[in-house]
Amino acid sequence: MLKKTLRFRSAQISVAILLAVLLLAIFGSALAPQDPLHQSVKDFLQGPSSRHWLGTDYLGRDVLSRLLAGTRTSVTTAAEATLVGLVFGAIPGLLSAFLGTWFDFIANRITDAIMTLPTIVFAIGCTAVLGNSLTPAMLAIGFLSSPLFFRVTRAAALEFVRAQYVESAELFGASRFRIVRVHVLNKVIPTIAVAAAMSASAALLIVSSLTFLGIGVVPPAPTWGGVLASDLSYLNQAPWAPIVPAVLIMLTAGALNALADAIRDASGVHVSLLSAASSKAATEEAAATELTQPGDDADPAFLGANSANPVIDKIDEEAADVNRHSAA
Amino acid sequence: MSTDTQLREPETSDALRTGVAGQRSPGQDVLVIDDLTVTVHNGALEAVRGVSLAVRRGEVVGLVGESGSGKTLTCRAALGILAPGCHVAEGSVSFGGQDTAEFSNKAWRAVRGSRVGAVFQDPGSYLNPSVPVGRQLAEALRSVQGCSRKQAKQRALELLRLVGLRDAESVYRQIPGELSGGMLQRVMIAIAVSGDPELLVADEATTALDVTIQAEIIELILRLRDERGLGVLFVSHDLAVISELCDRVVVFYAGEIVEAGPTEEILLRPRHPYTQAMLRVASLGDYTRRTLDVIEGQPPSVGAQLPGCRFADRCGFATEQCRTTPVAISSGGGHEVRCLRSDELSLTRLAS
Amino acid sequence: MTATVESGRSVDLPLLSVESVDVHLGRGRRAAHILSQVDLTVRPGEILGVIGETGSGKTTLARTVMGLADPSQGEIRLQDKVISSLRGSARRDLRRGGSVQFVFQDPLRSLDPDLTVEQLVAEGLVTQGQASSHEIATRVREALGWVGLDESLLSKHPAQISGGQRQRVSIARALVLRPQLLICDEPVSALDSSNRNNILRLLDELRTSRGLSVIIISHDLSSLAGIADRVLVLYRGRVVEDGPISEVFARPRHPYTALLIASAPALSDQLADQRPEPSSEQHRPLHVRQLRLVDADTATVSNDLEAGCVFRARCRFATDVCGTVPAAQDVPTAHGGGWRVSCHHHSTWRAELEDADRPRVPARPEPLPH
Ligand SMILES: Nc1ncnc2c1ncn2[C@@H]1O[C@H](COP(=O)(O)OP(=O)(O)OP(=O)(O)O)[C@@H](O)[C@H]1O
Ligand SMILES: Nc1ncnc2c1ncn2[C@@H]1O[C@H](COP(=O)(O)OP(=O)(O)OP(=O)(O)O)[C@@H](O)[C@H]1O
Ligand code: SF4
Ligand SMILES: [Mg+2]
Ligand SMILES: [Mg+2]
């Protein structure tokens, strides 16, 4: 799946960006040319200069240094949130597909309940109770994203639980655990990966908006969101200032989303609804599906789960591949 | 295209026939495969080599041969839907006179949508498991023929009855998991012929059917052939069906064509030792207890490089020369054969 | 008939018996009565063929025996043990024992696309967890050899092998567990005649050497005739005929069986001439046209399996009494073993044909809905 994903140009670019962000997260503080916490009141809100490449903020701190040093916190918090979502969402989702009626019923009701909670208010509540630092805020955000993971994982797993090869494994007397491990897990992983990439990018943005509201980040510590928030407060004095942190956040979030799309395309997660077969057979099947369900102008609603277009695009790619080969 | 839509309207078969004559002149090649070589495992192995065959309008061409001999790969290559990792390494496929290598994506889409229909092995895998089959069929109709929802449903029901699903109304509402293997196969056939295609590729399309329904499907294909000028590439292991249905037969062995010709010729006067062995073990139409014969030995594994004939190891007539010299396919009077000794051997179906 | 079947002891002790089983599938509005009052027995070393129309419930019958569908009535016994009521760990233990194996009809769907052929064939053994990995590897290769697959396939995925190869992988993964009872749903439909015969021969060999019992569901009557001892004919969820295959095929007693056999694809006359003389058939084979009810109004068939003979809407010989469900009636057999037919007119319809002997003219085919 990894190899296939990396065949997409968009995936290559995304991975390059994410690797760069990862490097910044690890070495950011070391790379920072100046102390990100060093205030210098006389230099406040300066434009880019040879001393401060990206200028300074309202306390005269070097913006470049703050962004570099803030990478780690921003990235870890996003990762934390995603991890929490995965643990509280994906695992019950998998279990739900397998343990059947009772567990499924209860898990679903809990999920519904969580979904009714308003994100920001809940996060504020959590920090109020657990203390104002990023980790509780991220726990809250992660917890709130768990319904997404739950739903997605459960739906994907249900698709495979009813597959005939699972029946066949049951006929060999395989335990539930073995069935999940051997036959189901690797097929839902692409789906979970897509959800995780999406949730990580969402978390990154939410961190920014929380910082903006003054929740989660204890003041002098730099984060991307924090830099953006402070820049936005001084728009009058330095209108160009928010651009760099905003671009950084959007680039990372965008790369995550593009990667998610690429995973989806490569693994045929979208096709998995078409067929209980796995990612491997999916592309081939998609082509065959086109033969049987052709349609430029298919009305997706009418077809139910099968909105033909992404499928057709995929086939065209495969077909183009084949064409190129036969031409060569 | 516009004439085509007109053709679908009339209800009587006479009207169909007159229309066909103008649109689809018989005898014209609808599919031509020329010297096709298909590689698998990203070019590492040649699973099909040097295959040439043609399907004319109003003609049913049968593909037979041992399991794993490359029939499905050939069909898939013809439709431009080889699985990832498999490629057309050499040769060409042309459809209605146009080389498919030059097809744009849009052209492929148009062709797959309405000019070819296909039924694959393992029908259940190609339908959306969570959508009622009738809706899937109706959707195919709507997108190709642009009819209204109600018309589409009407036609879908007609088509389901046409393929022998007597209880069409309830089949229409059932999802694939609720249908038996043979019912699924018939739904696939219905979808394949729904667009009134010029070419039907049927890869073991009747294997899950009982003989009475199979007879009806054979009748249906023959009618479409005669009335609509349908060209068919029909893969089957059932030689009795092949003998009833096909005008010409192509015999595959280990990725190559070993013999091709008119059905009667091949089945009555096989000239290749493999064809003859295949016919010998088939015990056609025998409904008594008997010893079951096999062709001893195994075919060479995919992509094996052999200097001589690929059947030599299992052939009762093989000579040293067979094993060492490449054997070309010879054509004589429309009956092609790939055997060095085909002229000296006089094989019959029952000789051993 | 084989010796095993005739020896008194084994006749008394069926390996599998299915008694008056009814199966309903689907819930609510979709509920459907799929099997009604199905009886069958399989003795050790016996090969039973199951034939019937598509959609008649053959797969459902096999799935019910395997515990993948629950009978709403009746009982299934393996030797003396009722298996149809097993649940949970008792059922899992039975399955893990591997004494009953099932080969699914659709190999592409029943083989996990992410596993390799080696993993697929080994799955049962690995699940049992008794054999060492070395032993598993040897047994997997041995099983592949039985079904005529070479070892180069071991590392391939199901999508990378041909349809017939997949089908043989399915058979290998069942046989590798050395079952007592093997249920195969169309095990040879995707195979060429040589490989088909190879598989059938293998099953025949295993039943003599190890007393394997086999149920083969198949549409290929000629293959079945080659190895099966008995045949069971299903039509729309009911057993219409059940008897020794040689006798049933030579002289079917149920009009549906007769129609089925007469519809088997015929060879062109020239080809047929080259066929060896039919051994000892005194009965002139019937022609489809004699048996097909061409103006059958099948659209109005009720789905109620209790409303008379299931075949009556398509039966040429149906009369008013066919509005009641015919009881299974015994027919004398030459070789013993029992022969039961569910038809009110089983002893008279053939005579009626020979009297009239006027094949009905087939109606003009309806025009295509184009
Ligand atoms: N995707 C693939 N990757 C690698 N090898 C493949 C692939 N598909 C098919 N093969 C190999 O190519 C050979 C030809 O396969 P193909 O499916 O064309 O056989 P076939 O003639 O249709 O056989 P069958 O009658 O069993 O369906 C087989 O030996 C198979 O193992
Ligand atoms: N889950 C289900 N719900 C409702 N009806 C079902 C379900 N599964 C199967 N059926 C119906 O049961 C009938 C018997 O199906 P089954 O698969 O047993 O047939 P079969 O004899 O194996 O046919 P084939 O030879 O085509 O495989 C069919 O009419 C089918 O529509
Ligand atoms: S060329 Fe020789 S080995 Fe090949 S088929 Fe002919 S006789 Fe046999
Ligand atoms: Mg094939
Ligand atoms: Mg079935």
Side-chain angles (χ1 to χ4, degrees):
Chain A
M1 186 188 90
L2 208 63
K3 254 204 217 139
K4 247 169 150 183
T5 309
L6 287 179
R7 279 214 305 245
F8 290 84
R9 175 57 40 86
S10 63
Q12 293 164 3
I13 297 172
S14 311
V15 167
I17 293 176
L18 293 176
L19 276 179
V21 171
L22 190 70
L23 285 179
L24 286 187
I26 298 171
F27 302 111
S29 313
L31 287 177
Q34 290 160 35
D35 179 2
L37 301 182
H38 175 77
Q39 304 181 4
S40 157
V41 185
K42 64 178 181 0
D43 293 332
F44 76 100
L45 292 175
Q46 281 183 354
S49 66
S50 58
R51 212 173 107 69
H52 302 288
W53 289 6
L54 295 176
T56 57
D57 70 357
Y58 67 107
L59 289 174
R61 293 175 295 199
D62 181 46
V63 170
L64 177 64
S65 303
R66 281 184 73 73
L67 284 178
L68 287 175
T71 311
R72 184 179 301 173
T73 327
S74 311
V75 170
T76 31
T77 46
E80 248 171 44
T82 309
L83 205 68
V84 171
L86 267 175
V87 170
F88 285 98
I91 294 173
L94 260 183
L95 289 178
S96 198
F98 267 88
L99 295 184
T101 17
W102 273 108
F103 186 91
D104 192 36
F105 181 81
I106 295 170
N108 264 302
R109 295 297 81 75
I110 296 177
T111 307
D112 290 346
I114 297 176
M115 299 232 320
T116 59
L117 298 173
T119 315
I120 302 284
V121 178
F122 185 73
I124 293 174
C126 276
T127 48
V129 175
L130 297 173
N132 190 14
S133 80
L134 264 180
T135 307
M138 284 303 110
L139 285 180
I141 301 297
F143 185 66
L144 287 180
S145 70
S146 64
L148 166 78
F149 285 99
F150 175 80
R151 293 259 150 105
V152 164
T153 313
R154 177 174 170 273
L158 273 182
E159 202 61 52
F160 299 114
V161 165
R162 290 199 215 101
Q164 227 172 47
Y165 48 77
V166 169
E167 274 183 349
S168 142
E170 272 170 8
L171 287 185
F172 286 132
S175 62
R176 289 262 160 86
F177 177 69
R178 192 189 139 79
I179 291 176
V180 173
R181 191 165 53 85
V182 177
H183 298 288
V184 179
L185 197 59
N186 58 342
K187 298 185 186 63
V188 296
I189 278 179
T191 313
I192 298 179
V194 171
M198 275 160 46
S199 140
S201 70
L204 211 56
L205 292 171
I206 290 177
V207 179
S208 323
S209 56
L210 284 180
T211 322
F212 200 60
L213 294 170
I215 303 161
V217 190
V218 187
T223 64
W224 291 356
V227 176
L228 178 65
S230 69
D231 285 346
L232 285 173
S233 329
Y234 295 89
L235 262 186
N236 276 344
Q237 287 82 352
W240 40 264
I243 295 177
V244 179
V247 165
L248 213 49
I249 292 173
M250 275 158 51
L251 214 59
T252 314
L256 281 167
N257 277 323
L259 188 63
D261 282 346
I263 295 174
R264 187 166 32 214
D265 289 348
S267 67
V269 169
H270 57 309
V271 201
S272 74
L273 287 175
L274 280 178
S275 144
S278 91
S279 45
K280 288 228 173 55
T283 29
E284 173 198 358
E285 242 155 60
T289 313
E290 189 200 354
L291 269 168
T292 59
Q293 308 179 337
D296 267 342
D297 49 359
D299 167 5
F302 186 53
L303 250 180
N306 171 20
S307 82
N309 285 339
V311 182
I312 288 176
D313 296 345
K314 187 75 206 89
I315 300 143
D316 289 342
E317 227 159 79
E318 294 290 340
D321 243 37
V322 175
N323 286 351
R324 243 175 276 126
H325 267 269
S326 48
Chain B
M1 241 19 235
S2 64
T3 29
D4 238 87
T5 6
Q6 275 172 11
L7 287 177
R8 283 189 201 102
E9 306 296 344
E11 284 301 324
T12 64
S13 33
D14 286 339
L16 286 175
R17 208 165 286 140
T18 44
V20 172
Q23 254 272 308
R24 301 175 173 179
S25 37
Q28 215 175 317
D29 286 328
V30 52
L31 174 74
V32 179
I33 297 176
D34 188 31
D35 200 24
L36 176 79
T37 295
V38 178
T39 57
V40 297
H41 295 297
N42 292 312
L45 303 170
E46 287 182 351
V48 171
R49 62 187 77 205
V51 163
S52 303
L53 61 91
V55 181
R56 286 190 278 273
R57 291 187 205 286
E59 181 187 51
V60 184
V61 175
L63 295 191
V64 299
E66 192 152 47
S67 164
S69 57
K71 305 178 295 296
T72 301
L73 283 178
T74 304
C75 292
R76 286 186 165 271
L79 296 166
I81 51 164
L82 283 169
C86 305
H87 301 284
V88 173
E90 256 170 67
S92 67
V93 174
S94 49
F95 186 78
Q98 291 162 286
D99 190 346
T100 55
E102 274 138 40
F103 273 16
S104 66
N105 297 342
K106 206 168 156 227
W108 262 126
R109 217 177 295 176
V111 165
R112 294 204 196 109
S114 58
R115 291 172 63 196
V116 292
V119 185
F120 297 107
Q121 268 174 312
D122 306 304
S125 320
Y126 297 108
L127 290 164
N128 183 336
S130 49
V131 176
V133 292
R135 281 224 330 247
Q136 299 189 44
L137 172 55
E139 181 50 41
L141 287 168
R142 256 161 51 79
S143 60
V144 176
Q145 313 200 341
C147 37
S148 75
R149 243 167 238 202
K150 225 176 122 200
Q151 277 175 323
K153 177 165 185 183
Q154 216 46 50
R155 284 258 307 139
L157 288 173
E158 270 171 51
L159 279 163
L160 291 178
R161 285 194 198 100
L162 196 68
V163 292
L165 289 163
R166 299 193 169 77
D167 202 358
E169 303 270 346
S170 72
V171 171
Y172 188 92
R173 286 191 313 266
Q174 279 172 312
I175 59 170
E178 297 171 346
L179 294 177
S180 77
M183 292 163 124
L184 281 173
Q185 206 161 44
R186 282 180 283 166
V187 170
M188 290 297 292
I189 296 172
I191 294 176
V193 301
S194 69
D196 187 18
E198 293 162 49
L199 175 71
L200 175 67
V201 177
D203 192 356
E204 304 193 18
T206 61
T207 46
L209 304 180
D210 68 75
V211 285
T212 43
I213 301 290
Q214 178 171 279
E216 286 176 33
I217 296 293
I218 291 174
E219 243 167 65
L220 171 71
I221 293 178
L222 289 177
R223 254 167 80 200
L224 287 169
R225 177 193 72 178
D226 297 340
E227 293 175 16
R228 309 289 304 144
L230 178 71
V232 185
L233 196 56
F234 191 88
V235 182
S236 178
H237 290 301
D238 190 333
L239 296 171
V241 172
I242 293 276
S243 85
E244 273 193 21
L245 189 61
C246 298
D247 303 307
R248 284 193 308 122
V249 178
V250 176
V251 186
F252 273 67
Y253 184 79
E256 287 175 344
I257 292 182
V258 292
E259 188 164 8
T263 309
E264 291 259 297
E265 275 288 306
I266 301 278
L267 297 186
L268 286 176
R269 285 173 288 282
R271 292 182 56 204
H272 194 283
Y274 171 69
T275 319
Q276 187 260 339
M278 173 185 79
L279 290 164
R280 173 171 52 84
V281 301
S283 46
L284 289 164
D286 188 348
Y287 295 107
T288 53
R289 197 182 192 92
R290 59 189 183 271
T291 49
L292 299 162
D293 275 336
V294 300
I295 307 175
E296 291 302 332
Q298 293 297 323
S301 53
V302 190
Q305 299 287 337
L306 300 175
C309 170
R310 297 178 78 74
F311 187 58
D313 277 348
R314 303 168 79 183
C315 177
F317 310 99
T319 61
E320 200 40 44
Q321 206 187 0
C322 292
R323 288 177 222 277
T324 50
T325 37
V327 193
I329 195 153
S330 74
S331 55
H335 189 155
E336 300 162 36
V337 57
R338 190 191 290 275
C339 174
L340 285 182
R341 304 189 57 197
S342 62
D343 289 334
E344 24 171 332
L345 301 170
S346 66
L347 305 165
T348 64
R349 208 165 75 74
L350 295 168
S352 44
Chain C
M1 291 292 106
T2 52
T4 9
V5 178
E6 272 153 25
S7 76
R9 192 189 53 85
S10 51
V11 169
D12 294 335
L13 232 183
L15 177 66
L16 175 80
S17 53
V18 172
E19 283 164 22
S20 339
V21 158
D22 271 45
V23 176
H24 291 81
L25 292 178
R27 293 217 181 92
R29 264 184 59 224
R30 305 198 128 177
H33 196 175
I34 309 293
L35 292 176
S36 171
Q37 299 292 310
V38 172
D39 289 305
L40 73 85
T41 53
V42 185
R43 296 179 188 84
E46 187 177 46
I47 298 185
L48 171 74
V50 177
I51 61 176
E53 200 181 30
T54 68
S56 56
K58 303 179 295 298
T59 301
T60 308
L61 174 59
R63 290 172 60 89
T64 311
V65 172
M66 295 308 297
L68 291 172
D70 289 325
S72 48
Q73 224 184 74
E75 221 173 52
I76 299 168
R77 271 181 288 147
L78 189 67
Q79 280 156 340
D80 295 327
K81 194 168 166 192
V82 178
I83 56 169
S84 50
S85 57
L86 290 181
R87 291 289 177 276
S89 61
R91 178 151 75 184
R92 189 172 304 155
D93 289 343
L94 175 79
R95 287 175 173 176
R96 211 169 274 183
S99 57
V100 186
Q101 288 300 315
F102 181 46
V103 177
F104 283 84
Q105 183 168 12
D106 187 336
L108 189 57
R109 276 196 293 167
S110 58
L111 299 176
D112 186 332
D114 288 335
L115 300 188
T116 61
V117 167
E118 176 154 32
Q119 290 168 320
L120 287 165
V121 178
E123 185 166 12
L125 290 170
V126 172
T127 308
Q128 283 183 341
Q130 278 158 1
S132 69
S133 57
H134 175 74
E135 192 183 342
I136 291 179
T138 350
R139 279 175 71 176
V140 164
R141 282 164 180 76
E142 177 193 39
L144 281 184
W146 287 340
V147 297
L149 292 178
D150 81 81
E151 295 190 4
S152 66
L153 297 186
L154 280 171
S155 60
K156 296 208 185 184
H157 293 277
Q160 295 176 323
I161 58 180
S162 82
Q165 289 165 342
R166 278 195 288 268
Q167 201 163 44
R168 285 178 281 163
V169 168
S170 289
I171 298 170
R173 73 203 293 247
L175 287 179
V176 77
L177 291 165
R178 317 228 157 110
Q180 279 175 285
L181 172 65
L182 177 69
I183 306 182
C184 319
D185 200 352
E186 313 230 10
V188 291
S189 65
L191 296 178
D192 60 281
S193 30
S194 171
N195 278 303
R196 187 173 291 206
N197 287 351
N198 180 43
I199 296 291
L200 296 173
R201 247 169 45 168
L202 171 69
L203 297 180
D204 200 28
E205 223 172 270
L206 290 175
R207 68 108 155 247
T208 26
S209 64
R210 280 210 259 115
L212 172 74
S213 307
V214 190
I215 299 180
I216 304 181
I217 298 172
S218 180
H219 291 303
D220 181 3
L221 307 183
S222 158
S223 288
L224 278 185
I227 63 158
D229 305 312
R230 303 176 56 77
V231 65
L232 181 100
V233 188
L234 274 178
Y235 187 81
R236 287 171 52 90
R238 274 183 180 276
V239 177
V240 294
E241 187 156 8
D242 171 14
I245 196 164
S246 51
E247 294 180 68
V248 172
F249 278 13
R251 193 178 162 87
R253 296 303 168 98
H254 196 282
Y256 174 64
T257 319
L259 174 65
L260 194 65
I261 290 165
S263 321
L267 295 169
S268 66
D269 293 339
Q270 267 192 320
L271 280 174
D273 287 345
Q274 290 195 4
R275 190 197 323 165
E277 278 302 301
S279 43
S280 64
E281 267 142 319
Q282 320 90 322
H283 306 289
R284 188 167 50 93
L286 300 169
H287 195 275
V288 192
R289 270 184 318 234
Q290 292 174 280
L291 298 158
R292 190 144 65 173
L293 184 61
V294 282
D295 43 4
D297 183 11
T298 44
T300 59
V301 182
S302 95
N303 279 320
D304 187 357
L305 298 185
E306 309 302 326
C309 173
V310 278
F311 188 55
R312 77 181 187 290
R314 280 175 70 197
C315 184
R316 247 200 87 162
F317 313 99
T319 59
D320 289 345
V321 316
C322 300
T324 58
V325 179
Q329 295 170 56
D330 284 312
V331 176
T333 65
H335 307 286
W339 184 355
R340 293 167 78 78
V341 184
S342 298
C343 171
H344 291 292
H345 302 302
H346 72 91
S347 54
T348 51
W349 63 261
R350 198 178 283 267
E352 193 182 314
L353 258 191
E354 274 147 19
D355 277 354
D357 209 3
R358 42 164 171 83
R360 287 201 182 183
V361 199
R364 198 168 150 268
E366 56 206 282
L368 297 173
H370 280 299

